[in-house]
Amino acid sequence: MPRPRRPLTASFADSIAFLAAVTVALVFVFPIYWAFSQSLRNPIDTFTVAGFGIPWVNFQPTLDNWIDQIGTPETFRALANSTIVSVSASLLALLLGTPAAYAIARFRFERWPNRDIAIWFLSQRVLPPVATVIPFYLVMRTLGLLDTRLALVLIDATFVLPFVVVILRQAFLDLPVELEEAALVDGASHWGAFWRIALPLAAPTMAATGLIIFAFSWNEFLFAVALASQNALTVPVHIAGAIDTRGVQFWFMGVRAMTAMIPPVVIALLAQRYIVRGLTLGAVKG
């Protein structure tokens, strides 16, 4: 039996939606392509190449910029600082935020409603970070932590902690509480139910949350440029350093931008399965 043909109007609407999606994708992909193209050009090609700057078509690519930048101690130090700060801040935020999210999801507090506590955590993201630069600077100077990785870890963990609490709270609310109640009946403590039942079930959401807050910490610029001067400079600050008396060195800017994008993209690809499971947890209830 022949299949019924789709209406012409529906096919035309699908084509328009497809073209719109491709256009939006190209808009967001073009800066990445531009950075990649710039990183492969000789300095003179930055100002003489016309068109889209396609390698081997508009210019002869070279890896000299990559070799020059990767081999410098400043680039290696910036990558090491960003990796250590981002991973440490993400782990610290997960360590503190996961039990807090579970407590808000499962227990009831006498003084404040749980919903108000969750909203308070969420409101911390509304506070402009620039309003806290001077207080944080004074605190870190008093503690002797200026230009240290520890200062950036503490500050980044503070600002990504609300994401952990809000996202994981909803994940724990979506988990069936009967599983934990059965564990309590069998003699487990609240900590045992959390550690053996709730935490493994929420692991995909924790992985997705960890990647999100890692990206936030990796891209943090304001506090890194305000509190670090040499030893604790991160990749975003290193990218901004591609400006000298001759102007913007676009060939170095391209290399630094690519080095900043590669680690989060690689981690996202490796953790893609957990991200999809974590973000769809609780989306369908049966």
Side-chain angles (χ1 to χ4, degrees):
M1 184 175 180
R3 296 181 179 178
R5 293 185 177 182
R6 301 181 63 185
L8 182 60
T9 55
S11 178
F12 179 75
D14 292 342
S15 301
I16 295 298
F18 175 78
L19 290 178
V22 171
T23 302
V24 173
L26 290 177
V27 170
F28 284 96
V29 170
F30 181 77
I32 302 176
Y33 167 76
W34 177 88
F36 177 73
S37 176
Q38 290 288 342
S39 68
L40 298 178
R41 301 184 192 184
N42 289 307
I44 190 63
D45 293 334
T46 303
F47 307 100
T48 59
V49 172
F52 288 100
I54 303 175
W56 288 287
V57 175
N58 301 116
F59 68 94
Q60 187 64 29
T62 178
L63 294 177
D64 291 343
N65 299 325
W66 285 87
I67 296 173
D68 187 14
Q69 284 294 293
I70 298 299
T72 57
E74 292 80 6
T75 301
F76 180 80
R77 186 185 303 114
L79 288 172
N81 289 338
S82 288
T83 302
I84 294 174
V85 170
S86 301
V87 172
S88 301
S90 301
L91 292 177
L92 180 59
L94 287 173
L95 181 64
L96 298 176
T98 303
Y102 180 78
I104 298 175
R106 289 291 184 259
F107 301 108
R108 294 294 177 265
F109 301 92
E110 297 181 358
R111 187 177 296 271
W112 299 288
N114 292 39
R115 182 179 180 85
D116 292 347
I117 298 176
I119 294 176
W120 181 84
F121 273 103
L122 185 60
S123 68
Q124 303 309 300
R125 291 302 306 174
V126 181
L127 177 68
V130 69
T132 63
V133 171
I134 295 178
F136 273 124
Y137 181 89
L138 296 177
V139 170
M140 296 305 168
R141 187 183 66 175
T142 302
L143 298 177
L145 295 179
L146 288 180
D147 198 21
T148 62
R149 296 169 178 169
L150 180 58
L152 298 180
V153 169
L154 295 175
I155 293 175
D156 288 351
T158 300
F159 276 91
V160 299
L161 183 61
F163 279 107
V164 178
V165 174
V166 173
I167 296 176
L168 290 184
R169 169 185 173 270
Q170 187 60 44
F172 288 127
L173 287 175
D174 292 335
L175 295 178
V177 70
E178 291 79 10
L179 297 176
E180 300 166 44
E181 292 176 347
L184 295 175
V185 171
D186 291 338
S189 61
H190 286 290
W191 172 258
F194 164 71
W195 184 259
R196 295 185 177 91
I197 305 298
L199 202 59
L201 293 176
T205 306
M206 291 181 60
T209 305
L211 179 61
I212 294 173
I213 62 178
F214 174 85
F216 273 103
S217 299
W218 181 271
N219 294 323
E220 202 284 319
F221 174 79
L222 179 62
F223 291 102
V225 74
L227 302 180
S229 57
Q230 182 177 359
N231 296 325
L233 292 179
T234 57
V235 170
V237 181
H238 186 59
I239 294 176
I243 302 177
D244 61 5
T245 55
R246 296 179 298 174
V248 180
Q249 297 177 321
F250 292 100
W251 48 97
F252 288 158
M253 180 76 76
V255 176
R256 296 178 183 182
M258 293 303 299
T259 56
M261 287 185 286
I262 289 175
V265 171
V266 171
I267 294 176
L269 292 176
L270 294 177
Q272 183 177 8
R273 179 182 61 177
Y274 299 101
I275 297 172
V276 174
R277 290 178 58 191
L279 295 180
T280 57
L281 180 65
V284 178
K285 289 186 178 182

